[in-house]
Each structure stands twice: as structure tokens, then as C-alpha cells.
Amino acid sequence: MSEPSLRKRKAQLSRPDSNIEPSKPAVTQEKSRDYRRIIYAVCLLSVAAFIYQYPEVIEKLLNEWLGFSEDDATIDGSNSDSIVDFSADVAKQNAVVEAFKHAWLAYERDAMGDDEYHPISRKGTNLTEAGGIGYTVVDSIDTMLIMGLTGEYARSRHWVANKMTFDRDANFNTFETTIRVLGGLLSAYHLSGQDSIYLEKAKELADRILPTFDTPSGLPLSQVNLGLRKGVYDSDYPGLVSTAEVSTIQLEFRYLAHLTDEDIYWEKAEHVMAVIKAARMPHGLVSIFMNAVEGKFATSAIRLGSRGDSYYEYLLKQYLQTNQTENVYREMYDDTMTAIHNHLIQQSPTTKMTYTSELVPERNQQGQISWRLTPKQDHLVCFLGGSLMLGATKTGATVHKISIPPKPRELTKEGLRDWKSGVELVKTCMRTYDTATGLAPEIVHFRIPSDGMEVSALAPMDWYIKGAKHGAPAVYDARYILRPETIESLFIAFRLTGDKRYRDDGWRIFQSIQKHCRVGTGGYASIINVDQNPAEQEDKMETFLMSETLKYLYLLFSDADVLPLDEYVFNTEGHPLPIFNPTIRTGFS
Ligand SMILES: *[C@@H]1O[C@H](CO)[C@@H](O)[C@H](O)[C@H]1NC(C)=O
Ligand SMILES: *[C@@H]1O[C@H](CO)[C@@H](O)[C@H](O)[C@H]1NC(C)=O
């Protein structure tokens, strides 16, 4: 309808010009040419001024010109009005459930109640001499509930009710115990239809952890003696605590406060965020260590990987957990995502893979600190792709209900930026699975011009495993320890786009795990070199295989109304907790 009328207007406009020109005498033609020059210059200047003042308008026009803003166009240019198919892929789900049972039943047979499992020697071990605290059992319960494994669930519940105790006189990691055991109990409580045994145990555990917050700054100490109810400094890092560890207990303590109406859990966890906010560094990023006495950042690396990762994850999730009512987290998140884009997100030289770097502080002879950008990315960082996409649809939305997949006009400039980076980071993480085993290494490095490496067999691609040599013993970075982060991002990406490609990617990873990590006699093992096929296994089955890796795979193939992202946040160990409107107000801003 609009096309013909547009053409008509153009035709009318051009007519006067062509009529007037020939009738003008020669002298005035000279003059009018000068005039025209001036008018052109004025026009050009006004356009330039306009672009300078309103860059968004131009960007929008450009986007429209690129075909983005058509009502039915989506960000990757596909047509979204075709109905997104979220129906479960039952055959693949069943395969994942079979894998879960293969892992669980071996553990139950050989090591029930022990904290950790070693599938090759078919033995369990505990984290401390003082005895187990239900690390593996509690980490697995909600997955059983989600998968509908009633027999396995009943036996696990029985163990929790009758065997589990936290009266262990030994030091446990505060953060790990919170995310795995406290998080697992809270999720089990919710998913079991409020079976009170889990809430009682959760409360008891939280009370034993509370004394770790009794430091001058209020930052919790990294270890807790559960039996003595006492916080303990990490002797390897005197006086210091990890930023990610102190800032990744909030979802758990806040939900417990909501359930019990006891403000203390809320206040202790929230105070940590206030300390971090006050300690802000000029660039808006955080270092991986903080001083537990002063509550300030200690000079240390800045990264999205270990000891940094879930700080960024929980900024968003705290905002989502209380139904987007606490603006302070949104502000911190917005600020931080801009900082990440300004300082850490990079592109590889040849194939333009989007990746994240680390900033490592270096002190020169005068004692001044400079920051060296290091192109190293932990597998742990692969949570970020999905997190950025989720964040874009929540903090970067211009409409109340965003489409699946989002349309560019439904996102703010920052939302669009985060969405695109998220999509690219998921792609990059998938490309790190392009190895001999189809599994990704623990740590990858990306090529930069100053690395001095020739393009050779050693570094054939834009990324490589540092120090890996053919035929030499495997380096630490080359292992795959059943990590979930990429699959977690695939799950979120699928829920937000309905793009079947993400299910295909997840299925490929699952098949590689089946091929290389599965132990014939039961359980799954880590492998020590992703570039060696057949792979050599290592005698360890991390608990996050059952709490995260297999859960996210199962959910990837589920119908989208199983644990919808509008109603749940997943803690960093994959334990889903319901979103709620807060009744507690403590005034942190
Ligand atoms: C782990 O702790 C539990 C509880 O004290 C104990 O029964 C079990 O034997 C311990 N396992 C190992 C391998 O020591
Ligand atoms: C979240 O807030 C919206 C209103 O903004 C409300 O409709 C919804 O029920 C709330 N969700 C929960 C879980 O409280």
C-alpha cells in the first residue's frame, strides 16, 4: 500500500527542478551555482550536526535499512512469526534420564552418602576426615524430582531425613557448601511441594554458616567449621576472600529469609553487596580478591572466570529473584555489563570469534600497577553467553512482553549489545568443543598479534590450548571435567529463541560425553585431554554432573513450561529457586 504513494511523492518533487533549469539565463546560472554550493554545505553541516546529536536515530535508520526493523524480522534475520516449537524431544530426554541413572545408581551402589564419587575405582570419599555432609546426595535431589525418578528420590529423601548431619568438626568451603547443599535443600523443598524436612535442614545449615559473616567488613570468610559454627580464614590467602565466593550466596540466603521470615539471612547476604558496591573500582569491574577486614578490593586479576564468574551471574539473578523490584542490582548490572564490553570482550583476529580476556595486574620497578590484557578464557566463562541473552530480555527490554526470539525494536541499545554478545559468546563456546573428542578444554587461549606464534599445527585456529604438545603429557588446561556452563547457556538460548540449533548443539555435546566420559561399570569420569581420542579418563565424577550438566540437558529437551525462566532463577549450581515479590525491605540502594 505505501509503495506507490511514496513513488508518487518523489516524482512530484523532481518535476519543478527539471522545468525551471532550462529557462534560466547564463549569468544567473553562475550565481545560482554559488547559491547551490552554499545550500549544499549548509545541508551537509545540518546533517552532520544531527548525526552528532542523535546517533540513535541514525543507528535505527541504519538498522531499518539493513532489514532489521520489519515487524516480523528478528535479530538474526529469521522470521519469528512462524510459531516457535517448544515441544519436548522425549527420545532425547529419555537418553539423558538414562545417563543420570547410570551416574546415580553407580554412586548409590558404591558410595551412598559420601561427598564425592570416583567411578573407576568405584569408591567414595569425603571432603574432610570428619565425615560427609551430603554433598552428592543433596546436589542430585532436585534433578530426580524434575526427571520424575520416584524410587531414587525416595531413597535420597530417606538418607537426608535419617543420615545427614552437619555436626562435623572440620573446615568446609563456605561458598561451595552454600551453593550445593543449602541451594540443593531449598530447591528440593520447593519442588517436593514444601516437604518440611528440607527446610529444617536448610535452616540448620544456614545457622552454622552465619558466623562466617562476623568479620570487620561483613564479608564472609571462605571456610566454615560446621561443627564448631565458626568462620575460618583460608590459610593460602591470608586475610582475603574471593569476590565470586562472597557474592554467590545471596540467592540462597535471601530465599531462606523469604521462607522463614527471618531477616538475618537477608541482611547478612545483602550487606555483602553493599560492601562490594561501596568498594567500586573506577572502571566498574571487580578484582577476584577482597580484603575481609577492610572490605576493599585487593590488587588481583579481573576476570569472568574462576573467583570472578558468579559475581556477574548473581548480579542479574538477584535482580530477577525478587521479580525485578530491587533497582540497585539492575544499576550495578547495567554498569558492569558496560564495563565488560569496554574492557574484557574481544574479537579474535582471523575468524572474529567473540571472547573474554582477563586483566592481570603487573607492578613495575617504581611500584606502579599496570594491567595486562590476557586472552585466556575459562570454560567457566561459558555461562556468560546465556546470562547476557537473559539479561538483555530483562534489563534491556523496551516492551513488557518480549518476543521469542526478541525483535531489535524490543531492545534498548544496551539490550541489543548484550544480546548480540551473548549469541556470539555461545557460538564461541561451541567452537571450543571442536576437538578430537568433541569436548571443550578447561581453559582456552585466543590468538593475539603479540603472541609470537606462527600459524602452524600448534595453533591452527583462533584459539588453542596453551602448552599442549602432540605426544607430550596432557597439560592441566586440556581436561574436561564434565562442566555444565556451555549447556546451561544453550538451555537459556533455546528458551529465549526457540532456535533448534541450540538443541542440536546440546545433543552433540551429550553424545561426546557418552562416548568419552561414560564408565562401563557405572558413573562418568573426567577426561585429561580433550584432544586425545580415545580419551584417557580420570577417576572423578564431579557432583555438578548430576546437579547441572544432566539437568540442563534434560531441560534443553523439555517443553518450555517446565521451570519457565519467568518464574525461576537457577542458582550457580543449577538449583532452581522460585521468583518472589519480596516482603522484606532493608533499604539497600
Ligand atoms: C564419609 O562419611 C560418612 C559419614 O561419617 C561415613 O559413613 C563414610 O564411611 C565416609 N566415607 C569414607 C570413604 O570415608
Ligand atoms: C512479578 O510482578 C508482576 C507485576 O509486575 C506480577 O504480575 C507477577 O505476578 C509477579 N511475580 C511473582 C512471582 O510474584
Side-chain angles (χ1 to χ4, degrees):
M1 280 294 278
S2 63
E3 277 251 316
S5 65
L6 228 161
R7 217 174 284 145
K8 209 153 112 205
R9 217 181 314 144
K10 252 187 214 155
Q12 277 167 351
L13 274 176
S14 63
R15 202 170 305 141
D17 251 11
S18 49
N19 280 348
I20 294 164
E21 289 256 344
S23 65
K24 275 185 183 168
V27 188
T28 46
Q29 252 185 22
E30 264 293 295
K31 232 186 193 167
S32 85
R33 213 174 289 149
D34 280 350
Y35 272 129
R36 222 178 289 160
R37 256 183 226 141
I38 291 168
I39 289 169
Y40 280 151
V42 169
C43 283
L44 262 173
L45 272 174
S46 342
V47 169
F50 183 80
I51 294 178
Y52 181 75
Q53 266 204 305
Y54 307 103
E56 327 82 44
V57 175
I58 300 303
E59 199 176 309
K60 197 155 168 267
L61 283 175
L62 204 70
N63 261 343
E64 281 183 26
W65 185 64
L66 289 170
F68 266 151
S69 83
E70 296 278 338
D71 264 5
D72 50 359
T74 64
I75 286 167
D76 34 26
S78 58
N79 196 319
S80 76
D81 281 359
S82 52
I83 290 158
V84 178
D85 181 9
F86 277 117
S87 52
D89 187 330
V90 178
K92 295 197 167 78
Q93 275 188 304
N94 286 342
V96 176
V97 172
E98 191 280 334
F100 181 88
K101 287 170 82 169
H102 186 73
W104 171 263
L105 293 174
Y107 163 78
E108 193 179 13
R109 173 193 67 204
D110 300 331
M112 183 63 183
D114 292 351
D115 288 331
E116 299 190 296
Y117 182 48
H118 308 276
I120 296 169
S121 57
R122 300 178 55 173
K123 279 199 180 76
T125 50
N126 291 320
L127 295 167
T128 74
E129 300 270 295
I133 55 167
Y135 224 51
T136 297
V137 179
V138 177
D139 224 5
S140 310
I141 288 182
D142 59 1
T143 309
M144 296 171 187
L145 285 164
I146 293 166
M147 291 180 174
L149 296 172
T150 46
E152 287 78 2
Y153 170 71
R155 299 194 294 277
S156 302
R157 184 197 179 279
H158 183 267
W159 188 88
V160 168
N162 298 291
K163 302 269 178 67
M164 189 166 78
T165 171
F166 301 124
D167 196 10
R168 306 283 190 210
D169 182 0
N171 297 339
F172 296 85
N173 181 290
T174 307
F175 150 79
E176 298 283 3
T177 308
T178 301
I179 63 166
R180 299 188 204 214
V181 188
L182 185 58
L185 287 167
L186 291 170
S187 192
Y189 174 72
H190 173 77
L191 293 176
S192 64
Q194 278 123 55
D195 184 337
S196 61
I197 185 74
Y198 300 116
L199 188 56
E200 276 164 38
K201 296 285 181 188
K203 194 169 161 353
E204 188 201 332
L205 178 58
D207 289 340
R208 289 174 186 269
I209 294 174
L210 275 184
T212 61
F213 292 89
D214 296 338
T215 58
S217 65
L219 298 179
L221 292 180
S222 56
Q223 294 184 47
V224 55
N225 184 311
L226 290 176
L228 301 180
R229 299 169 186 258
K230 210 174 99 198
V232 180
Y233 275 98
D234 184 343
S235 54
D236 290 341
Y237 303 98
L240 300 180
V241 291
S242 292
T243 305
E245 293 192 359
V246 299
S247 60
T248 313
I249 50 177
Q250 280 69 18
L251 294 184
E252 298 78 3
F253 276 83
R254 282 152 48 104
Y255 183 48
L256 181 63
H258 177 71
L259 291 175
T260 59
D261 256 332
E262 291 196 33
D263 294 8
I264 186 155
Y265 305 124
W266 190 287
E267 286 162 3
K268 296 282 185 190
E270 182 180 74
H271 177 67
V272 173
M273 298 310 294
V275 171
I276 291 177
K277 187 164 182 260
R280 189 185 190 281
M281 300 200 289
H283 36 60
L285 296 165
V286 298
S287 279
I288 56 170
F289 283 109
M290 296 188 80
N291 183 307
V293 175
E294 294 159 16
K296 299 267 183 278
F297 287 107
T299 303
S300 50
I302 291 173
R303 64 176 176 233
L304 296 154
S306 66
R307 296 187 190 272
D309 50 357
S310 46
Y311 163 72
Y312 303 93
E313 179 187 349
Y314 269 33
L315 268 188
L316 175 65
K317 288 182 173 175
Q318 287 179 82
Y319 178 60
L320 301 183
Q321 181 182 33
T322 43
N323 206 11
Q324 307 184 47
T325 56
E326 295 173 281
N327 238 350
V328 62
Y329 298 110
R330 190 208 164 117
E331 284 160 18
M332 289 174 82
Y333 178 78
D334 289 348
D335 196 34
T336 306
M337 289 309 111
T338 297
I340 284 178
H341 279 87
N342 289 344
H343 300 285
L344 300 180
I345 293 186
Q346 311 287 331
Q347 279 203 331
S348 68
T350 351
T351 53
K352 306 290 173 213
M353 295 167 79
T354 298
Y355 69 94
T356 64
S357 277
E358 300 185 357
L359 284 165
V360 182
E362 285 175 331
R363 216 177 270 276
N364 66 14
Q365 272 146 2
Q366 287 79 48
Q368 288 156 327
I369 290 169
S370 60
W371 294 89
R372 182 165 50 85
L373 199 62
T374 310
K376 161 177 176 276
Q377 181 175 293
D378 295 352
H379 189 284
L380 287 168
V381 180
C382 289
F383 83 93
L384 186 64
S387 182
L388 278 167
M389 291 171 78
L390 182 62
T393 65
K394 300 293 184 181
T395 68
T398 58
V399 290
H400 184 63
K401 193 129 186 66
I402 208 153
S403 310
I404 300 172
K407 296 164 183 169
R409 64 177 165 76
E410 297 172 338
L411 296 174
T412 60
K413 191 158 139 256
E414 290 74 23
L416 204 53
R417 173 199 68 194
D418 291 358
W419 177 271
K420 287 177 176 168
S421 301
V423 169
E424 289 303 317
L425 278 170
V426 176
K427 271 190 214 160
T428 296
C429 285
M430 272 318 295
R431 283 185 55 190
T432 65
Y433 281 72
D434 286 341
T435 60
T437 53
L439 294 168
E442 179 75 357
I443 298 172
V444 298
H445 278 72
F446 289 84
R447 297 294 310 274
I448 47 170
S450 64
D451 61 22
M453 282 190 301
E454 310 250 319
V455 177
S456 68
L458 248 185
M461 298 186 279
D462 271 14
W463 67 270
Y464 61 100
I465 301 170
K466 197 173 185 178
K469 284 204 190 69
H470 202 71
V475 292
Y476 174 85
D477 292 5
R479 63 191 52 220
Y480 174 69
I481 63 168
L482 306 166
R483 285 212 185 272
E485 291 78 15
T486 300
I487 297 168
E488 172 186 344
S489 278
L490 293 173
F491 157 65
I492 294 170
F494 180 67
R495 286 284 176 97
L496 298 178
T497 62
D499 189 338
K500 202 177 155 297
R501 164 176 56 127
Y502 295 118
R503 275 190 170 172
D504 296 342
D505 286 346
W507 185 244
R508 271 211 309 283
I509 297 177
F510 178 68
Q511 286 174 305
S512 299
I513 292 174
Q514 290 289 67
K515 181 156 180 228
H516 298 285
C517 305
R518 191 174 168 105
V519 177
T521 50
Y524 287 80
S526 307
I527 62 170
I528 66 162
N529 183 359
V530 294
D531 267 333
Q532 188 188 353
N533 186 359
E536 191 179 329
Q537 293 183 331
E538 192 181 43
D539 193 15
K540 177 94 186 261
M541 181 170 101
E542 295 280 352
T543 74
F544 46 69
L545 171 76
M546 290 193 284
S547 69
E548 297 187 76
T549 310
L550 295 176
K551 182 189 285 146
Y552 284 127
L553 275 167
Y554 180 84
L555 292 173
L556 176 62
F557 299 113
S558 296
D559 208 289
D561 54 21
V562 181
L563 300 174
L565 293 177
D566 280 341
E567 292 169 34
Y568 287 90
V569 284
F570 288 79
N571 92 337
T572 195
E573 186 72 5
H575 297 304
L577 304 173
I579 288 171
F580 57 88
N581 267 14
T583 48
I584 293 171
R585 281 259 145 254
T586 57
F588 170 46
S589 60

